[in-house]
Amino acid sequence: MASPEHLVIGMTGGIGCGKTTASRIFAGLGARIIDADEIAHTLSRPPSPALQAITERFGPEFLTLSGEMNRDRMRERVFAIPEERRALEAIFHPLVMQECRRLINLPTTAPYTILSVPLLFETKGFTSLIRRSLVIDCSEGIQILRVMARSGLSRPQALAIMANQIERNLRLQLADDVICNEGTPSQLATQIRKLHQDYSHQAKI
């Protein structure tokens, strides 16, 4: 059973740093994974209270014919107009945080929970759900190349996404633990296995 003593690790990192890969490795070692991005994706599909708010704030043209949020159109809008990005975050962040809190409190046999949140430090309230923070890190040059290769975005689009996250050095200063993901997948897995041992030990204290 999850409890106030249950160890929750908040994991974050800049786009393209490898949070998804890290989550898969942690899951394979027995950790429970709660992914804020996945929750947000679920909330962008019906039925969801977010969709009515999106229609009222942005207009029905920001929904697809199937009733989902038009992610491509919304991405263009919020990266072009900062006020619109803040409006979208005001719709999604409270709902995502509410669902994260609910999932954390569900029974679990996992020794600890990884709460993956891209804007862990930027979004008020998320750090109150965790005991430690973990940053998956890589250079900004590698971030850009990975984002462009993975998502087919242009360099300006990749830079626009990165600009909405806190500066890399500040993120590293706020982290309790850091994994450098600039090497091979096996090197990433080695670092995660070591942290898994540390977290499993801390969970028993």
Side-chain angles (χ1 to χ4, degrees):
M1 168 77 78
S3 69
E5 292 74 37
H6 179 73
L7 178 61
V8 180
I9 308 296
M11 185 174 71
T12 192
I15 185 171
C17 285
K19 296 183 297 297
T20 300
T21 302
S23 289
R24 286 198 296 265
I25 298 171
F26 272 115
L29 294 170
R32 177 174 65 170
I33 308 297
I34 299 175
D35 191 314
D37 257 355
E38 290 184 1
I39 293 171
H41 288 173
T42 299
L43 289 170
S44 70
R45 300 189 297 266
S48 167
L51 296 174
Q52 179 62 36
I54 287 170
T55 302
E56 293 173 357
R57 174 60 179 78
F58 295 94
E61 64 271 22
F62 283 88
L63 299 184
T64 66
L65 293 177
S66 60
E68 301 180 9
M69 184 179 75
N70 188 321
R71 300 182 64 83
D72 291 338
R73 187 165 191 171
M74 185 65 77
R75 184 185 297 112
E76 292 178 4
R77 179 68 167 265
V78 299
F79 287 137
I81 308 174
E83 293 81 7
E84 299 289 71
R85 174 177 57 82
R86 287 190 286 270
L88 184 66
E89 290 173 348
I91 292 171
F92 273 94
H93 285 175
L95 295 171
V96 171
M97 193 176 304
Q98 178 182 339
E99 180 64 3
C100 286
R101 185 178 291 110
R102 185 187 72 82
L103 293 173
I104 286 171
N105 289 324
L106 289 179
T108 180
T109 58
Y112 61 92
T113 293
I114 295 289
L115 175 61
S116 179
V117 185
L119 300 178
L120 178 69
F121 299 128
E122 296 92 326
T123 306
K124 183 179 179 180
F126 272 113
T127 54
S128 68
L129 303 178
I130 66 174
R131 194 191 305 178
R132 291 186 69 82
S133 59
L134 165 64
V135 165
I136 310 298
D137 182 60
C138 69
S139 71
E140 293 180 352
I142 292 177
Q143 279 184 262
I144 294 169
L145 291 175
R146 286 177 177 169
V147 172
M148 292 172 64
R150 179 189 69 191
S151 305
L153 299 178
S154 67
R155 182 182 178 87
Q157 287 174 319
L159 288 170
I161 294 173
M162 292 167 61
N164 287 323
Q165 299 183 309
I166 63 171
E167 199 269 334
R168 180 190 178 196
N169 287 337
L170 178 56
R171 184 163 52 233
L172 292 173
Q173 291 173 20
L174 294 170
D176 294 308
D177 305 304
V178 176
I179 285 179
C180 179
N181 183 27
E182 295 186 349
T184 65
S186 63
Q187 289 172 326
L188 174 63
T190 296
Q191 295 181 78
I192 289 177
R193 282 194 294 270
K194 183 181 183 303
L195 273 181
H196 170 71
Q197 293 175 347
D198 293 343
Y199 293 157
S200 296
H201 176 71
Q202 291 178 42
K204 298 176 183 177
I205 298 175

